[in-house]
């Protein structure tokens, strides 16, 4: 009887371990959270600086992903100025990262560039212009920077405005038509064959990050005052008591 009980316990343990392994495998199918590698530059960053830097990096990555997806749905756009889709993607990324003007936007930057990219009369590569202008507008809202340190400050209202600008741009992209009466760019598909809202979700991530950072910047100054008061009040009460 004792031996049977031991066998039963071992079987239960094996089942539990198998279950854990199965759950781990299932969760891994959806990806894993990955942190950035440590660098010496972080020594000059506060928590707020770090969050702003990561948010900017993720927002630019989202725009690059959207650019690739838009080119796949609108292949005629990259053909206007480049020999391949990859070449066009690289040109746009380089212009954004190096803060260079985009020729087709006639020197316009920020919201002026975004407005021009979404006009029905624009005849250039609309995908490139739209992604470049969106990135330039977001960077402008971050005081023209993509990485932030202790000496840098951010305006919460500018970040909030950038989030609203993205929402407006996405709506215009889906509803405004060109001179031929066609939607400016094909994106989400909600036809009879099914629904593909991947564009909406990715744009939503950008809006969410901008809104969260705007609120966090606002909270930072309020929390600084609260923490100061808590330290003053708690300093006299939160004292260790003698035990001998």
């Amino acid at each position: 009887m004792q031996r049977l009980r031991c066998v039963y316990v071992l079987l239960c343990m094996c089942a539990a371990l198998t279950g854990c392994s199965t759950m781990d495998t299932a969760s891994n199918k959806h990806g894993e959270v990955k942190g950035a590698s440590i660098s010496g530059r972080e020594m000059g960053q506060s928590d707020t600086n770090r969050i702003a830097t990561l948010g900017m990096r993720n927002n630019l990555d989202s725009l690059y992903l959207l650019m690739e997806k838009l080119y796949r749905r609108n292949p005629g756009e990259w053909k206007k100025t480049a020999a391949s889709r990859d070449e066009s993607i690289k040109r746009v990324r380089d212009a954004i990262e190096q803060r260079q003007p985009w020729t087709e936007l006639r020197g316009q930057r920020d919201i002026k560039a975004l407005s021009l990219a979404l006009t029905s009369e624009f005849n250039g590569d609309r995908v490139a212009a739209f992604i470049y202008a969106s990135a330039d507008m977001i960077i402008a809202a971050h005081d023209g920077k993509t990485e932030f340190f202790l000496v840098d400050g951010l305006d919460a209202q500018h970040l909030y405005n950038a989030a609203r600008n993205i929402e407006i741009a996405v709506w215009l992209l889906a509803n405004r038509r060109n001179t031929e009466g066609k939607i400016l760019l094909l994106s989400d598909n909600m036809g009879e064959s099914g629904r593909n809202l991947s564009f909406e979700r990715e744009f939503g991530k950008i809006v969410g990050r901008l809104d969260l950072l705007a609120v966090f910047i606002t909270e930072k100054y309020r929390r600084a005052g609260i923490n100061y008061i808590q330290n003053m009040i708690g300093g006299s009460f939160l004292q260790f008591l003698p035990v001998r």
Side-chain angles (χ1 to χ4, degrees), residues 53-71:
T53 299
L54 292 175
M56 172 62 74
R57 186 71 268 159
N58 288 337
N59 281 336
L60 290 180
D61 286 343
S62 287
L63 287 175
Y64 299 150
L65 175 61
L66 286 163
M67 175 167 53
E68 182 177 356
K69 291 166 67 67
L70 284 169
Y71 272 141

Side-chain angles (χ1 to χ4, degrees), residues 15-138:
L17 291 172
T18 302
C20 291
S21 176
T22 302
M23 287 189 291
D24 289 342
T25 302
S27 63
N28 289 340
K29 290 180 180 179
H30 298 282
E32 296 178 354
V33 62
K34 295 181 180 179
S37 57
I38 298 176
S39 69
R41 301 174 68 84
E42 291 183 44
M43 297 301 294
Q45 293 179 324
S46 65
D47 290 346
T48 303
N49 298 147
R50 191 61 187 159
I51 289 173
T53 299
L54 292 175
M56 172 62 74
R57 186 71 268 159
N58 288 337
N59 281 336
L60 290 180
D61 286 343
S62 287
L63 287 175
Y64 299 150
L65 175 61
L66 286 163
M67 175 167 53
E68 182 177 356
K69 291 166 67 67
L70 284 169
Y71 272 141
R72 289 184 184 280
R73 292 222 66 194
N74 305 269
E77 296 300 316
W78 63 259
K79 294 178 181 179
K80 294 176 181 179
T81 58
S84 69
R85 182 179 67 233
D86 291 340
E87 178 188 332
S88 186
I89 290 174
K90 184 179 185 305
R91 287 176 55 203
V92 177
R93 289 189 61 145
D94 288 345
I96 292 171
E97 301 284 346
Q98 298 170 21
R99 305 292 290 131
Q100 298 173 344
W102 191 251
T103 306
E104 289 186 296
L105 290 170
R106 302 194 291 270
Q108 301 290 351
R109 306 294 292 263
D110 193 1
I111 56 175
K112 291 183 178 180
L114 194 55
S115 296
L116 178 58
L118 293 172
T119 58
S120 58
E121 295 80 16
F122 184 80
N123 295 319
D125 181 343
R126 195 183 297 277
V127 172
F130 173 65
I131 294 298
Y132 173 87
S134 297
D136 197 66
M137 183 273 296
I138 290 174

Side-chain angles (χ1 to χ4, degrees), residues 112-181:
K112 291 183 178 180
L114 194 55
S115 296
L116 178 58
L118 293 172
T119 58
S120 58
E121 295 80 16
F122 184 80
N123 295 319
D125 181 343
R126 195 183 297 277
V127 172
F130 173 65
I131 294 298
Y132 173 87
S134 297
D136 197 66
M137 183 273 296
I138 290 174
I139 294 173
H142 289 74
D143 199 27
K145 300 172 183 176
T146 58
E147 194 173 11
F148 308 91
F149 298 95
L150 293 172
V151 296
D152 297 321
L154 292 172
D155 188 305
Q157 188 62 47
H158 291 167
L159 298 172
Y160 176 87
N161 292 348
R164 305 291 75 78
N165 288 340
I166 290 295
E167 290 177 335
I168 294 170
V170 172
W171 188 89
L172 290 174
L173 198 67
N175 292 276
R176 183 172 285 177
R177 298 179 180 275
N178 59 22
T179 53
E180 298 175 353

